[in-house]
Amino acid sequence: MQAKVLITLKNGVLDPQGEAVLHALDNLGFDDVDGVRVGKMIELDLSDTNADTARTRVEKMCEKLLANTVIEDYEVEIL
Amino acid sequence: MQAKVLITLKNGVLDPQGEAVLHALDNLGFDDVDGVRVGKMIELDLSDTNADTARTRVEKMCEKLLANTVIEDYEVEIL
C-alpha cells in the first residue's frame, strides 16, 4: 500500500524559499505569478494492507517525525 | 488561479533524504515502512484566468527553473 504526505507551512509562517522562487521566476519573465509557497511531498511504501490502519500509522509518523506541527500542516492520502 | 506542482526524483535516481527518513522511521518503531521517497510541492498563485494558458505557463516554469528535468519529473495540477 502506498501513502502520499503533503507537508505545507501554515498560513502566516514566513516562507523564504518561496520568496526566492518568486523573485527568480520574476527575473525569468514570469511576472504573472503573485505568490509561491514551497512544501514537501513524502511518498511511503507500507506493508499494511488495511487503508484505515495505514492512515492512522502515517498520521502518527507525521506527528512524530515527518512534520513540524508547530509551523507545518500535513495531509495524508492513501493510494 | 492556483497551480500545484509536484516534483519527484525519477525512478533509479538515488534519494539519500528518503533513505534517512526511512532509517529514522525504523528507529522510532515504524518498521512497516518499506520505502520512502521525498519530493517537493510548489504552490503558485497566478494572475492568469484561463486554465490552459496557466498550465502552459507553469510547465514552462518547471522546464526553466522549478524542476531539474535530468533527474526529476514534474506534475502540474491547476486548481
Side-chain angles (χ1 to χ4, degrees):
Chain A
M1 185 157 277
Q2 273 215 321
K4 192 189 267 187
V5 181
L6 296 180
I7 297 170
T8 49
L9 284 170
K10 283 185 200 279
N11 282 335
V13 178
L14 208 68
D15 180 4
Q17 198 184 352
E19 287 297 308
V21 172
L22 179 64
H23 287 299
L25 284 171
D26 195 56
N27 288 339
L28 288 170
F30 295 106
D31 47 11
D32 48 346
V33 184
D34 300 323
V36 180
R37 301 282 283 175
V38 178
K40 270 177 289 185
M41 182 188 52
I42 302 176
E43 289 170 314
L44 301 159
D45 291 322
L46 302 164
S47 50
D48 298 280
T49 50
N50 179 293
D52 290 338
T53 318
R55 178 177 295 275
T56 312
R57 288 289 280 174
V58 174
E59 282 171 359
K60 264 190 201 146
M61 293 175 206
C62 288
E63 294 286 335
K64 280 209 167 178
L65 178 77
L66 303 179
N68 176 348
T69 52
V70 177
I71 55 165
E72 292 172 329
D73 288 322
Y74 62 85
E75 203 178 295
V76 176
E77 204 179 308
I78 302 292
L79 309 174
Chain B
M1 185 157 277
Q2 274 215 318
K4 192 189 267 186
V5 182
L6 295 180
I7 298 170
T8 49
L9 285 170
K10 283 183 199 280
N11 283 335
V13 177
L14 207 68
D15 180 3
Q17 197 184 352
E19 287 296 310
V21 172
L22 179 63
H23 287 299
L25 285 172
D26 196 56
N27 288 338
L28 287 170
F30 296 106
D31 47 11
D32 49 343
V33 183
D34 298 325
V36 180
R37 302 281 283 174
V38 178
K40 269 178 289 186
M41 182 186 51
I42 302 176
E43 289 170 315
L44 301 159
D45 291 322
L46 302 163
S47 52
D48 297 280
T49 49
N50 179 292
D52 290 338
T53 319
R55 178 177 295 276
T56 312
R57 288 288 281 174
V58 175
E59 281 171 359
K60 264 192 202 145
M61 293 175 205
C62 289
E63 294 287 337
K64 280 211 167 176
L65 178 77
L66 304 180
N68 175 349
T69 53
V70 177
I71 55 165
E72 291 171 330
D73 288 322
Y74 62 84
E75 205 177 293
V76 176
E77 206 179 306
I78 302 292
L79 310 174

